[in-house]
Structures are given as structure tokens and as C-alpha cells.
Amino acid sequence: MKPLSQKTAFLTDSVIRRMTRLAMDCGAVNLSQGFPDFDPPACVTERLAEIAAPGPHQYTPTWGAKNYRQALADKVGRCMGIDLDPDRNVLATVGSTEAMMAALMALTNPGDKLVLFSPYFENYYSQAVFTSIEPVFVPLEPPAFTFDPAKLEKAFADPKTKAMLLCNPSNPSGRVFTKEELTFIADIAKKYDVLVITDEVYEHIVFAPHEHTYIAALPGMWERTVCCSSLSKTYSVTGWRLGYIVACERLLNECKKVHDFLTVCAPSPLQEAIIPGLRLGDDYYRDFGEKYTRKRDILAKGLEEIGFSFTMPEGTYFMMVDISDFQRGMTDIEFCEELTKKVGVAMVPGSTFFKEPVGHLARVHFSKKDETLYEAIDRLSKIREKM
Ligand code: GLN
């Protein structure tokens, strides 16, 4: 038989999502794949119930229903401080995963290079492979997860570098890049004619005093930034697969062509049902941030009391935890499997996210009800007896 794709041959399935399956098999508290166990805002689920019979049930226009794109343009434009035209600047996608895939397929050529920070969200590597582009990694050094500007500039200066894929707030490091860091990235993007594709899905999970800056809103960046985000995290609807791209017309038009043939359109009833969420006022985002600050603090205190050290995240709902005191010769992958099976708490092995050989970290998330977090802490407190 003829060989199958060389692209999939050297990829595995997602470790993050594999850990979720293991957690389900073992009845473990799942702090691996990041998604909430609490409800979306009531206005959104009520609207979903209301439209269950009347619909919409058929395709929306490919770019997204007009009223959905208008609500996206209003909400995202307000946050970014940019006046967005729903027809020219907004594309509704199936999750931010599709948004990034469409952007990479539309804007790069095979053989181009894509700059990524390491640690990086697992999907990016596979997405680079699928588009035949070469990922180039610049380290974010733990525990502070800052980058060396000279190393980043060297990567940008390579004439083959077409784009950087920038996750901010950053999964899994929890970094929220400062305006100064982003201005540096913007300056070298302009200097070396590099595009910036963003993943800003954690834009509303930022802990004081840190603040999220949209790189697209920095001077001269609107023309070279493809802003990808989603509603999954902000409205606790990860299964709805509602993402979007916001960009200038020139860049968005290319992304639209890929999206048109890749997924046709995002689910129509869900586009309609999320609109009341997009219309929520500033107090929703303030309360949402405060809720996550409390959850971060619950998990941090619990982990500290058990004896784990970790980097306190500035944003996102992830923490990178040092597991070296508990590994007893196991790799991080073995450790996370044992932990899931014997202690009943699932984490993601840190090596999933690093280009470099880093084997002493695991990623946990705190997008869970307070009671779920307390249950996880209670189970983890028995780690020394059970493993
Ligand atoms: N972004 C979340 C995580 O990193 C969910 C990943 C996914 O499965 N899409 O865990």
C-alpha cells in the first residue's frame, strides 16, 4: 500500500486531550485540559433554550450571521479600542483553533518559518506541520518565563520568517506580556516585515496589576496582525466552538477563502445564542476576572501547603507546577499518568509544551468550581502515601 501522509506520520494525538480521556476513565479530577465545570452566563443558556425550536438551524452566511458579527465587532472593537467593521474586519470561525489554522494556511507558504515561544500551546506545532511551515522556537525561561530580546530578534531577522504566533495571555506559562515587551515585538515585526498571528483566548483572565494589551492596537500593527480569539473561555462555552478572526481587510480576505472551504460556517444556533453574552457590560468582565483570581488563589494556597512550587500566573487559568520533589525517577509523563490513576488528579506533563528537554514540570488549570478545586487539593494532599 502507498504510504499515508508524511505529515501525520510524525505527529501524535494531543497529550492534553489524551489526559482528559484518562481522567474520565479513572474518575480523576480533571485539571489537565482547560475547560470549566461551571455554567455559562444565564442570558446565554436562556437564549439557547428560546431558539431550540425556532432556530436558526441552517447555515449562516459563511463569514458568520450578520447580527453575530455586529455583536462581535462591537464587543471586540470596544476592548481593542479599534473601530471594527463587521463586514470587513470580522470572520466567525469554528473555535480559535480553526481561526489560527485558516490564518496559517492563508498567509504562509510551505518552507516559511513561524516563530513560537517555548513553552507553547500544543496545537501550534501540529498546525505548523499541517501547513508545511517550520516552527522556530524562542525560549521563555522558567520560572519567570521572560524572553531574551536578542534571541527573538535573531529569529525575526531570518528572511524565511513569515510570522510569529503569539499567545497572550500565554498558555501554558501564565505570562501576560507587558506593553514594553509587545512594543519590542511590534518593532521587530515592522523592521523585518513579519506578521503577528495572535491567540488571545485568555484576554479576560488577567490578574491585577497585570493588564492585557492587544498588539494589533499598537502603532503600525493593525496592518500586520491577525487577531484570533474565541468565546470559549470568556463565556465558559468551550464545547460551542465559537472563535473569530479580527484583522484588516487585506489579511482577513485571504483567511476568509480558507475558512469558506474548511468549515463553511460556525454552528448557527450557537452564533445566535451567544449574542446576549457579547452584549454584557463591563461588570461581567470585572466579576469574571475576580472569580478567576479567587480560583487561582485557592489552588495556589493548596499546592503550596502540599509542598509544590510553581510560577504564579499573571493571566490564563493555568499554572506550571514543579513536580521534581515527587517524581522519584519517573518522567513527567509517567508521573502524570500515575497521579491520575493513583491520586485521582489529572495534570498535563510539562514536556508537552516545551521544545527544550524540560521534564520537571506539569500544567494544572483552575477553571473549576471552588468545590472541585478543594477536592483536587484534598486528593493531592495524599500524594506521598499514594505514589
Ligand atoms: N486551551 C485549552 C488547553 O490548553 C484547551 C485545549 C483544547 O483541547 N483545545 O488545555
Side-chain angles (χ1 to χ4, degrees), residues 16-17 32-34 121 171 202 233 318 363:
I16 296 176
R17 295 181 278 278
S32 63
Q33 185 184 17
F121 173 45
N171 174 11
Y202 304 100
K233 278 60 182 184
F318 300 110
R363 191 194 75 174

Side-chain angles (χ1 to χ4, degrees), residues 105-359:
M105 290 176 81
L107 304 172
T108 67
N109 292 307
D112 283 349
K113 291 186 178 175
L114 177 73
V115 177
L116 296 171
F117 282 133
S118 170
Y120 57 95
F121 173 45
E122 194 188 17
N123 281 24
Y124 305 157
Y125 181 79
S126 302
Q127 291 182 325
V129 171
F130 292 146
T131 40
S132 301
I133 54 179
E134 187 186 330
V136 176
F137 295 94
V138 174
L140 290 175
E141 313 268 1
F145 295 111
T146 48
F147 62 88
D148 176 347
K151 284 187 187 155
L152 192 64
E153 178 154 4
K154 188 161 172 273
F156 273 53
D158 183 331
K160 284 193 152 175
T161 295
K162 174 64 76 67
M164 174 170 196
L165 179 42
L166 175 69
C167 186
N168 183 40
S170 192
N171 174 11
S173 68
R175 275 306 313 282
V176 176
F177 294 106
T178 63
K179 196 166 181 189
E180 290 66 37
E181 287 172 312
L182 294 169
T183 300
F184 176 77
I185 296 171
D187 286 346
I188 57 176
K190 287 179 274 184
K191 182 172 173 188
Y192 298 104
D193 189 17
V194 170
L195 297 171
V196 177
I197 301 168
T198 68
D199 173 354
E200 299 182 87
V201 302
Y202 304 100
E203 62 200 299
H204 292 293
I205 309 178
V206 176
F207 308 116
H210 304 280
E211 281 181 14
H212 181 65
T213 301
Y214 294 87
I215 195 167
L218 294 182
M221 287 307 287
W222 175 240
E223 295 74 25
R224 59 175 61 256
T225 305
V226 178
C227 178
C228 301
S229 192
S230 94
L231 309 181
S232 293
K233 278 60 182 184
T234 304
Y235 307 102
S236 308
V237 288
T238 60
W240 288 24
R241 314 308 299 130
L242 294 178
Y244 60 86
I245 301 179
V246 160
C248 68
E249 194 173 11
R250 173 176 167 263
L251 296 174
L252 193 70
N253 277 348
E254 301 311 302
C255 300
K256 281 179 167 177
K257 295 176 200 168
V258 176
H259 163 78
D260 199 357
F261 293 101
L262 202 56
T263 56
V264 181
C265 71
S268 51
L270 304 180
Q271 292 185 42
E272 177 64 32
I274 203 71
I275 291 172
L278 289 164
R279 298 277 181 225
L280 288 166
D282 292 341
D283 50 339
Y284 172 74
Y285 302 97
R286 194 196 55 234
D287 294 349
F288 184 73
E290 284 171 6
K291 175 167 86 173
Y292 270 109
T293 306
R294 186 184 71 239
K295 292 183 184 301
R296 177 194 68 165
D297 293 344
I298 289 172
L299 188 62
K301 183 162 176 283
L303 290 174
E304 203 168 3
E305 282 171 7
I306 297 164
F308 284 105
S309 56
F310 50 85
T311 305
M312 198 66 159
E314 300 166 351
T316 79
Y317 46 52
F318 300 110
M319 270 184 213
M320 289 300 260
V321 177
D322 190 323
I323 53 172
S324 48
D325 284 350
F326 302 92
Q327 269 173 292
R328 298 190 301 127
M330 288 181 277
T331 66
D332 61 339
I333 297 171
E334 290 161 350
F335 171 85
C336 287
E337 286 175 0
E338 288 279 293
L339 190 76
T340 308
K341 290 176 190 163
K342 295 192 175 156
V343 179
V345 177
M347 302 182 178
V348 182
S351 57
T352 307
F353 307 99
F354 281 90
K355 167 70 175 158
E356 305 81 20
V358 172

